Amino acid sequence: MKRVFLSFLLLFFLLPLCSACGKYDYYAHVSDEKSDIFLAETEEFTVAVSCAVREHPFLCDGVAAGKNALLEAVLTEKSPSGAEYEIYFLFDTPCGGDMSFRSVTGDYYYSRSCETFPEGSVSLRVVKDGAAVDLLSTSVKTERTLSPREALGYAVEAEKETIEEMTRGREFFGEFHVRLLRRDKNYYYVGIISQQGDILALLLDGETGEVLARRGK
């Protein structure tokens, strides 16, 4: 009798574990993720540094390929000056270089590979036409900000029908883009991309996961 009771207890505790193990891992299909944003501002410009993990080459083909971890910096002038900018990250061995001007968006861009993402803040040096200024950019995340994995979970739950249409034989055929955004507060963009290149775009509240806007398929 004692042996039967112990077997019952073992089965009772293993059942939840088996259920968790059987849950499909949609996060494995994320091909583009932005998990944090650090902001700094002067009287002349703003700088946003993002922690990104992105497939290479980057293709919206519904297949998540091998990914690289990057720190991306975008500098936006408050009044266009035509100046040349350099940016350097100071949290480890100083590393940086010239920023490229992007005529389409009207800002300056620089990226570098990164093995470990910073947390809380990032020390920067911005050089404008030879004159340098050191800045501390701070994270937009709070203790209530969802993680990319959590945001994806809300998106998948909200789009059950779409996800089912892209699933065959218990396997998902598609990819996800999950990006933290900062406007008046934190949001998440979640893109659901089919292997035909169709994109369903969702805008989520960055704390509750509520879908605020939907566009596409």
Side-chain angles (χ1 to χ4, degrees):
M1 186 68 180
K2 183 176 181 182
R3 183 177 298 175
V4 174
F5 180 71
L6 289 175
S7 298
F8 175 80
L9 282 180
L10 181 61
L11 180 61
F12 178 81
F13 285 113
L14 283 178
L15 277 174
L17 293 177
C18 292
S19 299
C21 291
K23 190 172 182 180
Y24 194 87
D25 184 15
Y26 291 102
Y27 189 69
H29 295 273
V30 174
S31 62
D32 184 18
E33 174 185 294
K34 184 180 292 183
S35 58
D36 205 348
I37 302 171
F38 304 86
L39 297 180
E41 184 175 7
T42 71
E43 293 181 355
E44 297 178 308
F45 56 79
T46 60
V47 180
V49 176
S50 301
C51 299
V53 178
R54 183 173 300 120
E55 70 175 0
H56 181 77
F58 182 61
L59 300 171
C60 290
D61 57 0
V63 179
K67 298 182 283 289
N68 296 327
L70 302 169
L71 278 178
E72 299 181 317
V74 176
L75 184 149
T76 305
E77 291 186 306
K78 296 181 178 180
S79 296
S81 67
E84 294 185 357
Y85 285 93
E86 303 166 51
I87 191 166
Y88 298 92
F89 297 92
L90 306 178
F91 65 91
D92 54 11
T93 302
C95 180
D98 295 334
M99 304 190 78
S100 301
F101 180 73
R102 304 189 296 187
S103 57
V104 175
T105 51
D107 53 28
Y108 296 80
Y109 176 83
Y110 176 85
S111 68
R112 58 161 285 191
S113 60
C114 183
E115 294 184 2
T116 304
F117 288 136
E119 296 183 6
S121 62
V122 179
S123 296
L124 304 171
R125 177 169 297 144
V126 177
V127 181
K128 176 183 179 181
D129 290 337
V133 57
D134 288 354
L135 302 170
L136 183 67
S137 56
T138 55
S139 172
V140 302
K141 294 198 305 183
T142 69
E143 59 184 14
R144 298 180 60 185
T145 304
L146 298 173
S147 68
R149 182 183 288 274
E150 291 171 329
L152 177 61
Y154 280 105
V156 169
E157 181 66 22
E159 293 295 332
K160 287 182 179 179
E161 184 175 335
T162 299
I163 299 300
E164 289 176 0
E165 292 175 355
M166 299 170 65
T167 302
R168 298 190 297 274
R170 296 185 179 180
E171 182 177 356
F172 178 74
F173 288 86
E175 64 180 318
F176 299 100
H177 298 169
V178 185
R179 304 170 188 153
L180 179 65
L181 305 175
R182 178 69 183 184
R183 298 295 182 265
D184 57 319
K185 62 176 187 177
N186 291 339
Y187 300 90
Y188 268 99
Y189 162 82
V190 177
I192 305 174
I193 301 95
S194 72
Q195 293 189 338
Q196 291 72 44
D198 299 320
I199 301 176
L200 171 60
L202 305 176
L203 181 67
L204 275 63
D205 185 288
E207 295 184 354
T208 68
E210 177 187 359
V211 177
L212 304 175
R214 183 183 188 274
R215 183 176 66 182
K217 180 181 175 181

